């Protein structure tokens, strides 16, 4: 049995509804503003504690930490991620074109700082392949690799110092940008990197990472290409030098891939059954280091090894501040990519586990992490896909897992680091390539994306092609611009529909999709599904004129007929003929004008503004022009469902000079009922013409 609804109430215009249910905005608004300013400026112990908990979240969640319930999961998750950070940190340092030890530093300092300032409970920060690749491009541009250099000379040490100085400067500038964005509360800017853009960008960047690691996997000593078409340049260089492949390093790479790929697949498929994933990366590093040391592979087969890794804690060092003008443009792109990936990951796991993160606080957390760590020879960091996924799968609950992660890395820095002297760089290259598995698998989502939204599919494809063909930063910019252009085009070509009424209801729907709805006789109800602004005002005008038939010829003919009628009325009034004759003349003129129209002609236009999100000055002037044109043909204009901002702009622009304020209604049905009541009223002394 279906339920029915019956509502009996008065017809409400906007003015009448505001008088009945509105509030005095002028006084309450000023009071609210004064209260807010007073609240912001008030200083008390409670306010200071609230600010401290808000800006340093560890003071908020640590006192409420459930030791018995969470400590085991945080310990296991943190230790697991810490073990993974060691090989990945060294591997991603190669992407950044710096020594592996600096990857270990970047796996330590940002983790500790994010534990204090971050709001993502399951976020694991540190080295990230895409950010490392973008930073490496900047380093290669400013400090290119010389073709001949003795690795044991002081020249090599100066060369490494210059490179890490540039990478640290990128981290420092990135942190400063994030802190400035936090001060301006610009956390919302990450939303301009939509999900299709981020996924296409990371997937395309994975190709850049893979191609860049081919030379290390094949044992080729080639310069790194940067700029547009760098992927194809690198690939061509590798193909050209294939005859010079070091067979020992190729064999090492094949063996490592044969071990890493299947074990990672097992970790992924059986992650629900495995308490912790198999630490295949660190096991591969340990075994490869032992084999290389026992067999003297570096001297016998001339394979490239990691070399000296200093033990101990790094001392503070000033980044290369003089490079700021040269790295500013690239650093902006690195900042946005790192922040967008970090916030996206934090939001995914926050939604999954039922808590919230604060984008602006994330800006502060990553800004402080990059700024402080840059003084300890670290390159830019962000949240990482692989370690975040492993942390959540291993049972991590809170940010305290970062403490155990940093302890593992600290032990390696202080004690174990020098033991990796004989680690082949080909092993780190294989770890880099296999860590991109999740990024390559994003291609599987394309069929579903095509089915859901072909526009988002095009954004994905354009971004991916731009990043692969051109470059990482330029491709990202093209993807963002193209995505914004699709939004602009959709607002420019928003649909304009004629609404019809469902029988015996107050429901109005587009006629093209609801054939059983009917048009209200004499009333054309129109709706526009988008904002009305300078970019689409001409399209909106064309659509409205087409649906109403407001051609210039019709406007001129109707205006000419109206002027002729007014002239005859004046002649009838000033005539010296008897009153009865004058009345008869007036009646005949009225009937003459009515004969020009039929019952099916439009007598009133009702615009449903429920989907109009905003109107600018150009759109408001267009409304005025339309009212004037409709009046010339004797058609009255009514508005319904206007939101407060739209109504305020229309009123401020002077629309009420050309339109009766009582013709603006709360709902479409209110307006229709009013129009029908006006048609049914008996004629009075004044003349009303319905066309």
């Amino acid at each position: 049995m279906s339920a029915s609804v019956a509502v009996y109430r008065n017809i409400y215009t906007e003015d009448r509804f505001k008088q009945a249910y509105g509030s005095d905005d002028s006084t309450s608004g000023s009071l609210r503003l004064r209260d807010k300013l007073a609240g912001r400026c008030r200083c008390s112990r409670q306010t200071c504690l609230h600010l401290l908990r808000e800006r340093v979240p560890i003071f908020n969640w640590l006192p409420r930490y459930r030791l018995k319930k969470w400590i085991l999961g945080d310990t296991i998750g943190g230790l697991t991620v810490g073990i993974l950070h060691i090989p990945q940190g060294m591997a991603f340092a190669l992407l950044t074109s710096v020594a592996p030890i600096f990857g270990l530093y970047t796996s330590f300092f940002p983790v500790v700082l994010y534990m204090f300032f971050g709001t993502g409970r399951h976020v694991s920060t540190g080295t990230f392949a895409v950010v490392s690749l973008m930073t490496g491009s900047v380093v290669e541009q400013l400090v290119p690799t010389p073709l001949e250099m003795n690795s044991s000379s002081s020249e090599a040490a100066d060369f490494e110092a210059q490179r890490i100085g540039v990478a640290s400067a990128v981290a420092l500038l990135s942190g400063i940008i994030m802190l400035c964005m936090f001060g301006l509360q610009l956390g919302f800017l990450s939303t301009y990197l939509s999900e299709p853009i981020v996924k296409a960008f990371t997937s395309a960047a994975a190709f850049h990472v893979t191609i860049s690691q081919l030379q290390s996997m094949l044992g080729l000593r080639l310069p790194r290409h940067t700029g547009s078409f760098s992927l194809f340049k690198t690939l061509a260089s590798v193909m050209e030098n294939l005859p010079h492949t070091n067979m020992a390093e190729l064999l090492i790479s094949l063996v490592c891939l044969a071990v890493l790929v299947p074990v990672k697949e097992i970790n992924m498929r059986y992650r629900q059954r495995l308490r912790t994933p198999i630490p295949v990366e660190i096991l591969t590093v340990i075994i490869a280091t032992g084999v290389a040391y026992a067999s003297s592979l570096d001297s016998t087969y001339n394979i490239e090894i990691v070399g000296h890794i200093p033990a101990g804690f790094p001392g503070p060092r000033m980044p290369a501040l003089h490079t700021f003008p040269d790295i500013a443009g690239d650093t902006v792109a690195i900042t946005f990519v790192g922040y967008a990936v970090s916030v996206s990951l934090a939001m995914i796991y926050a939604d999954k586990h039922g808590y919230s993160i604060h984008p602006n606080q994330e800006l502060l957390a990553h800004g402080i992490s990059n700024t402080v760590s840059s003084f300890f020879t670290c390159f830019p960091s962000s949240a990482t896909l692989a370690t975040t996924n492993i942390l959540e799968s291993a049972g991590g609950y809170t940010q305290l897992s970062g403490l155990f992660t940093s302890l593992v890395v600290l032990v390696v820095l202080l004690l174990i680091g020098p033991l990796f002297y004989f680690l082949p760089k080909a092993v780190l290259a294989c770890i880099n390539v296999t860590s991109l598995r999740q990024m390559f698998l994003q291609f599987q989502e394309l069929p579903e994306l095509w089915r859901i939204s072909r526009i988002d599919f095009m954004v994905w494809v354009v971004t991916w092609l731009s990043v692969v063909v051109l470059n990482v930063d330029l491709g990202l910019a093209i993807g963002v611009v193209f995505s914004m252009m699709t939004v602009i085009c959709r607002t420019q070509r928003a649909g304009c529909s004629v609404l019809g009424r469902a029988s015996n209801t107050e429901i109005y729907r587009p006629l093209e999709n609801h054939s059983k709805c009917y048009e209200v006789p004499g009333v054309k109800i129109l709706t526009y599904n988008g904002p009305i602004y300078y970019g689409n005002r001409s399209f909106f005008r064309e659509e409205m004129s087409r649906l109403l038939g407001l051609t210039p010829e019709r406007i001129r003919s109707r205006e000419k007929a109206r002027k002729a009628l007014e002239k005859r009325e004046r002649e009838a009034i000033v005539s010296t003929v008897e009153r009865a004759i004058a009345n008869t003349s007036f009646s005949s003129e009225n009937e003459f004008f009515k004969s020009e129209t039929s019952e099916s002609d439009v007598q009133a236009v009702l615009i449903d503004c429920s989907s109009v999100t905003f109107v600018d000055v150009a759109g408001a002037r267009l409304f005025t022009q339309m009212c004037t044109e409709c009046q010339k043909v004797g058609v009255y204009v009514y508005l319904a469902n206007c939101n407060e901002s739209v109504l305020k702009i229309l009123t401020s622009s002077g629309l009420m000079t050309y339109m009766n304020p009582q013709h603006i209604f709360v709902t479409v049905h209110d307006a229709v009922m009013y129009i029908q009541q006006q048609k049914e009223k008996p004629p009075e002394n004044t003349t009303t013409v319905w066309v």
Side-chain angles (χ1 to χ4, degrees):
M1 181 179 179
S2 60
S4 60
V5 177
V7 179
Y8 300 93
R9 61 173 176 80
N10 295 326
I11 294 175
Y12 282 114
T13 63
E14 283 288 347
D15 288 343
R16 192 177 302 168
F17 187 83
K18 194 170 184 179
Q19 290 173 4
Y21 300 101
S23 59
D24 190 356
D25 294 334
S26 58
T27 58
S28 60
S30 60
L31 286 175
R32 284 196 298 268
L33 180 61
R34 283 199 299 269
D35 292 340
K36 288 180 180 179
L37 291 175
R40 294 278 184 182
C41 299
R42 187 180 297 118
C43 183
S44 64
R45 182 175 179 272
Q46 185 178 1
T47 305
C48 293
L49 288 175
H50 174 74
L51 182 63
L52 180 64
R53 294 192 188 100
E54 189 177 14
R55 296 297 170 232
V56 189
I58 191 173
F59 293 115
N60 187 30
W61 58 262
L62 190 59
R64 297 181 292 180
Y65 189 83
R66 301 179 184 178
L67 188 64
K68 294 182 179 179
K69 184 178 180 180
W70 293 342
I71 189 62
L72 181 61
D74 283 340
T75 303
I76 295 175
L79 294 176
T80 304
V81 171
I83 293 172
L84 183 62
H85 264 311
I86 298 166
Q88 280 201 357
M90 293 189 291
F92 291 160
L94 296 183
L95 285 178
T96 318
S97 298
V98 296
I101 184 61
F102 301 116
L104 295 179
Y105 296 156
T106 309
S107 300
F108 175 75
F109 290 101
V111 175
V112 176
L113 292 167
Y114 186 83
M115 180 181 67
F116 283 90
F117 298 98
T119 59
R121 300 178 190 175
H122 300 85
V123 172
S124 173
T125 58
T127 56
F128 180 46
V130 177
V131 174
S132 297
L133 177 69
M134 297 176 72
T135 307
S137 298
V138 180
V139 172
E140 289 287 345
Q141 288 176 10
L142 298 182
V143 191
T145 306
L147 295 178
E148 297 294 337
M149 183 177 64
N150 186 358
S151 59
S152 60
S153 65
S154 59
E155 180 186 356
D158 293 338
F159 173 73
E160 287 296 338
Q162 292 178 24
R163 286 200 151 186
I164 191 57
V166 173
S168 299
V170 174
L172 175 60
L173 185 56
S174 177
I176 293 173
I177 292 173
M178 288 188 183
L179 292 176
C180 292
M181 291 172 64
F182 165 74
L184 297 173
Q185 299 291 286
L186 297 180
F188 68 90
L189 290 180
S190 64
T191 57
Y192 288 103
L193 293 179
S194 63
E195 183 178 343
I197 291 178
V198 172
K199 290 188 174 182
F201 171 77
T202 53
S203 179
F207 278 85
H208 280 273
V209 173
T210 302
I211 297 300
S212 68
Q213 296 304 292
L214 285 178
Q215 56 183 355
S216 296
M217 296 169 67
L218 298 174
L220 301 175
R221 312 296 188 263
L222 303 174
R224 184 168 171 177
H225 296 279
T226 59
S228 299
F229 310 104
S230 60
L231 185 144
F232 301 102
K233 294 176 183 177
T234 303
L235 190 59
S237 180
V238 170
M239 297 297 293
E240 184 180 350
N241 289 272
L242 274 180
H244 306 291
T245 300
N246 187 319
M247 299 308 296
E249 290 193 87
L250 176 60
L251 181 62
I252 292 172
S253 300
L254 292 175
V255 172
C256 288
L257 291 176
V259 173
L260 289 169
V261 173
V263 177
K264 279 179 168 289
E265 189 66 26
I266 292 173
N267 283 340
M268 182 58 62
R269 291 196 176 187
Y270 299 100
R271 59 182 175 180
Q272 302 296 335
R273 300 182 183 179
L274 295 172
R275 184 67 181 87
T276 58
I278 302 171
V280 62
E281 289 91 350
I282 191 64
L283 292 177
T284 304
V285 166
I286 293 172
I287 294 172
T289 303
V291 172
Y293 171 73
S295 306
S296 300
L297 294 179
D298 58 322
S299 57
T300 306
Y301 297 100
N302 194 30
I303 68 169
E304 195 172 5
I305 59 175
V306 167
H308 175 62
I309 297 180
F313 215 61
R317 184 187 299 179
M318 185 66 67
L321 302 181
H322 64 278
T323 61
F324 273 13
D326 300 319
I327 65 176
D330 295 296
T331 304
V332 171
I334 293 171
T335 302
F336 271 92
V337 170
Y339 175 64
V341 171
S342 301
V343 172
S344 299
L345 277 176
M347 286 183 173
I348 289 172
Y349 288 100
D351 293 340
K352 182 177 180 179
H353 293 276
Y355 62 92
S356 61
I357 66 137
H358 305 288
N360 285 307
Q361 180 62 27
E362 289 295 296
L363 274 175
L364 178 64
H366 290 287
I368 291 176
S369 297
N370 280 289
T371 302
V372 175
S373 61
S374 68
F375 292 99
F376 294 92
T377 59
C378 295
F379 50 85
S381 63
S382 71
T384 63
L385 295 172
T387 55
T388 299
N389 186 30
I390 290 174
L391 176 62
E392 192 259 350
S393 301
Y397 285 102
T398 67
Q399 296 93 316
L400 191 64
S401 59
L403 174 64
F404 301 100
T405 298
S406 58
L407 287 177
V408 173
V409 179
L410 183 61
V411 169
V412 174
L413 286 174
L414 296 179
L415 302 174
I416 307 175
L419 299 179
F420 294 119
Y421 180 91
F422 290 97
L423 173 64
K425 287 188 176 181
V427 176
L428 297 180
C430 292
I431 292 174
N432 272 334
V433 172
T434 55
S435 68
L436 305 172
R437 177 184 182 277
Q438 286 179 290
M439 300 183 193
F440 285 121
L441 289 179
Q442 291 176 147
F443 279 98
Q444 298 177 352
E445 301 176 8
L446 282 179
E448 183 181 4
L449 189 61
W450 171 266
R451 181 178 56 83
I452 296 173
S453 172
R454 297 188 179 182
I455 293 179
D456 285 340
F457 178 87
M458 288 301 301
V459 171
W460 200 103
V461 172
V462 169
T463 304
W464 189 89
L465 289 175
S466 301
V467 173
V468 168
V469 173
L470 298 176
N471 199 10
V472 177
D473 48 0
L474 183 58
L476 176 64
I478 292 174
V480 172
V481 171
F482 182 78
S483 177
M484 296 178 69
M485 288 300 297
T486 62
V487 175
I488 294 173
C489 290
R490 277 184 275 187
T491 59
Q492 281 187 316
R493 293 290 175 179
C496 189
S497 306
V498 179
L499 299 184
R501 180 183 177 185
S503 300
N504 300 320
T505 69
E506 81 291 350
I507 299 172
Y508 297 82
R509 289 292 183 268
L511 290 174
E512 62 264 26
N513 300 325
H514 302 82
S515 58
K516 295 183 180 179
C517 293
Y518 67 92
E519 275 197 85
V520 179
V523 182
K524 185 73 74 173
I525 308 174
L526 305 177
T527 183
Y528 189 73
N529 301 315
I532 302 173
Y533 65 109
Y534 68 94
N536 66 354
R537 65 187 300 269
S538 58
F539 174 77
F540 175 72
R541 182 189 180 89
E542 291 173 3
E543 285 291 294
M544 297 289 283
S545 299
R546 179 181 62 83
L547 294 174
L548 295 175
L550 291 177
T551 60
E553 293 78 12
R554 187 189 176 200
I555 294 175
R556 283 195 297 267
S557 63
R558 304 301 292 177
E559 188 175 12
K560 185 176 180 181
R562 178 180 288 275
K563 288 181 178 179
L565 174 62
E566 292 175 352
K567 181 179 179 181
R568 294 183 182 182
E569 286 180 356
R570 287 195 299 270
E571 291 175 354
I573 292 174
V574 300
S575 177
T576 57
V577 186
E578 296 179 357
R579 185 175 181 81
I581 301 175
N583 286 338
T584 304
S585 175
F586 178 80
S587 177
S588 64
E589 299 298 342
N590 198 14
E591 290 174 3
F592 169 80
F593 188 79
K594 286 185 178 180
S595 66
E596 295 290 320
T597 64
S598 63
E599 290 295 328
S600 61
D601 283 343
V602 177
Q603 303 165 348
V605 175
L606 172 58
I607 302 176
D608 177 16
C609 299
S610 58
S611 299
V612 179
T613 53
F614 69 88
V615 175
D616 68 353
V617 175
R621 288 175 180 169
L622 180 61
F623 267 99
T624 303
Q625 294 174 9
M626 289 184 55
C627 283
T628 305
E629 292 178 358
C630 287
Q631 287 174 2
K632 289 180 180 179
V633 297
V635 176
Y636 291 95
V637 177
Y638 299 82
L639 301 180
N641 288 324
C642 296
N643 64 51
E644 290 293 332
S645 61
V646 170
L647 194 58
K648 182 178 180 181
I649 292 175
L650 292 178
T651 304
S652 302
S653 66
L655 179 64
M656 297 305 110
T657 307
Y658 303 90
M659 180 179 177
N660 189 342
Q662 298 304 315
H663 285 184
I664 303 177
F665 292 87
V666 175
T667 68
V668 171
H669 196 58
D670 283 276
V672 171
M673 291 295 100
Y674 175 82
I675 295 170
Q676 290 180 337
Q677 286 182 8
Q678 292 297 109
K679 289 174 64 177
E680 294 169 0
K681 281 185 178 182
E684 300 177 0
N685 292 333
T686 57
T687 304
T688 303
V689 181
W690 297 90
V691 180

